[in-house]
C-alpha cells in the first residue's frame, strides 16, 4: 500500500489547527487578566499579531489541500461582501497601518465561498504591502450574465513586466508569485455553467497595481 502523504499532511495540519485554537483561547484569557497592566500590553499585542498570522496560514494551507481534490466543491453561499472585507481590513489596518477606500454599495451581496475569497484577498494585500503599497481602493462591477468582479487598486510601484507578461501563475518564484498562485487557485474554484473564476493583473495608468478577482 502506497504511503498516503497527503492524508498524513492533512491530519497533522488539523491537529496543529486544534492546538492553535486552544492557544488562542488561552491568549484571550491572558489578555483579560492583563487588562490595566500597561507594561505588558506591547508584548501581548505582538503575540496576538503573530498568532493571527499563524492561524490564518494554517487555514490557508488546509483550504489549498482541499482545492487539490478533484471532488472538491466550494461552499458558495450568499454573503454580504462588506462582512467578508471588514475583518481583513481591520487586520491590515492594525498590523500595517494600511488604509482602504470602499467604492461600492455596502448592500452588495453575491454567492461565493467566503473562506476562499478571504484567502485571495489576504494574499492580494500581503503582496501589495510587501511591494510598499499603503492605500487601497476596492470596487465591484456586476455583469449582465450574473458574473461580477472585485477590483483592487493600490498606490504601490505596480507589477513588473515579467509578471504582467506571464499570464499564468505557478508555485515557483518569488513570494509574490506564490501569493498570485494561491489567489488564482481560490478564484478558479468558483464555477458556474461552463465558466470558472479568474484573476487579471495590470498596472494603473498613473501609479500602482490593479488586481481583478472575476467570478462567473
Amino acid at each position: 500500500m502506497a504511503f498516503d502523504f497527503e492524508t498524513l499532511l492533512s491530519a497533522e495540519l488539523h491537529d496543529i489547527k486544534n492546538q492553535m485554537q486552544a492557544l488562542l483561547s488561552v491568549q484571550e484569557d491572558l489578555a483579560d487578566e492583563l487588562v490595566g497592566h500597561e507594561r505588558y500590553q506591547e508584548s501581548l499585542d505582538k503575540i496576538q499579531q503573530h498568532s493571527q498570522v499563524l492561524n490564518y496560514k494554517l487555514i490557508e494551507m488546509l483550504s489549498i489541500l482541499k482545492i487539490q481534490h478533484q471532488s472538491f466543491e466550494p461552499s458558495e453561499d450568499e454573503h454580504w461582501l462588506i462582512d467578508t472585507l471588514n475583518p481583513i481590513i481591520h487586520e491590515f489596518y492594525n498590523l500595517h497601518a494600511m488604509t482602504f477606500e470602499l467604492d461600492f454599495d455596502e448592500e452588495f451581496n453575491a454567492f461565493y465561498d467566503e473562506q476562499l475569497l478571504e484567502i485571495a484577498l489576504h494574499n492580494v494585500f500581503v503582496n501589495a504591502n510587501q511591494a510598499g503599497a499603503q492605500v487601497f481602493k476596492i470596487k465591484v462591477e456586476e455583469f449582465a450574465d450574473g458574473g461580477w468582479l472585485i477590483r483592487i487598486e493600490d498606490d504601490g510601484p505596480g507589477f513588473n513586466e515579467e509578471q504582467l507578461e506571464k499570464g499564468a501563475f505557478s508555485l515557483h518564484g518569488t513570494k509574490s508569485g506564490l501569493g498570485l498562485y494561491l489567489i488564482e487557485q481560490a478564484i478558479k474554484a468558483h464555477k458556474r455553467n461552463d465558466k470558472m473564476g479568474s484573476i487579471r493583473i495590470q498596472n494603473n495608468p498613473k501609479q500602482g497595481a490593479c488586481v481583478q478577482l472575476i467570478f462567473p
Side-chain angles (χ1 to χ4, degrees):
M1 181 177 177
F3 182 72
D4 192 345
F5 175 77
E6 189 173 296
T7 299
L8 175 62
L9 177 60
S10 178
E12 290 295 322
L13 285 173
H14 273 100
D15 285 344
I16 294 171
K17 184 175 182 293
N18 290 337
Q19 291 298 317
M20 191 70 213
Q21 291 301 315
L23 179 61
L24 290 171
S25 179
V26 173
Q27 184 178 288
E28 288 181 8
D29 293 340
L30 179 61
D32 291 338
E33 292 176 12
L34 292 179
V35 170
H37 297 271
E38 297 299 327
R39 59 178 174 156
Y40 300 118
Q41 194 59 49
E42 184 177 351
S43 295
L44 183 60
D45 288 344
K46 289 180 180 178
I47 291 172
Q48 290 175 324
Q49 289 171 7
H50 290 302
S51 295
Q52 287 176 0
V53 172
L54 284 172
N55 190 52
Y56 180 82
K57 283 296 179 183
L58 282 170
I59 293 171
E60 183 178 88
M61 291 172 71
L62 285 167
S63 298
I64 295 302
L65 271 177
K66 286 193 293 186
I67 291 174
Q68 300 309 307
H69 286 282
Q70 291 185 348
S71 60
F72 172 76
E73 291 290 339
S75 178
E76 294 188 49
D77 297 317
E78 188 174 17
H79 301 281
W80 273 260
L81 182 59
I82 190 68
D83 291 340
T84 302
L85 277 167
N86 274 338
I88 304 173
I89 288 172
H90 182 73
E91 173 191 346
F92 280 91
Y93 174 78
N94 286 335
L95 293 180
H96 306 292
M98 293 158 61
T99 59
F100 299 81
E101 177 186 340
L102 305 182
D103 187 16
F104 65 87
D105 184 354
E106 293 192 4
E107 295 297 316
F108 173 78
N109 59 67
F111 284 87
Y112 56 86
D113 185 302
E114 188 169 41
Q115 191 174 81
L116 292 181
L117 179 54
E118 287 171 352
I119 288 171
L121 291 169
H122 197 277
N123 277 282
V124 170
F125 299 144
V126 166
N127 281 0
N129 179 250
Q130 290 174 344
Q134 285 293 117
V135 180
F136 297 81
K137 178 179 285 188
I138 302 175
K139 301 179 180 180
V140 171
E141 183 177 345
E142 298 180 75
F143 306 119
D145 65 358
W148 61 287
L149 68 77
I150 304 175
R151 180 184 180 94
I152 304 163
E153 300 175 355
D154 67 47
D155 67 336
F159 294 105
N160 61 45
E161 288 303 317
E162 182 183 359
Q163 288 174 308
L164 292 173
E165 289 173 2
K166 269 186 179 179
F169 311 111
S170 70
L171 285 168
H172 305 290
T174 63
K175 286 185 178 180
S176 63
L178 173 59
L180 288 169
Y181 174 80
L182 293 177
I183 296 165
E184 183 178 51
Q185 295 304 303
I187 303 304
K188 280 175 66 176
H190 293 82
K191 300 174 183 178
R192 185 167 64 91
N193 298 329
D194 59 343
K195 298 179 180 178
M196 69 168 55
S198 61
I199 169 179
R200 183 183 304 148
I201 63 172
Q202 61 190 60
N203 288 331
N204 298 320
K206 292 184 178 179
Q207 179 187 359
C210 173
V211 176
Q212 295 181 41
L213 311 179
I214 306 165
F215 293 80

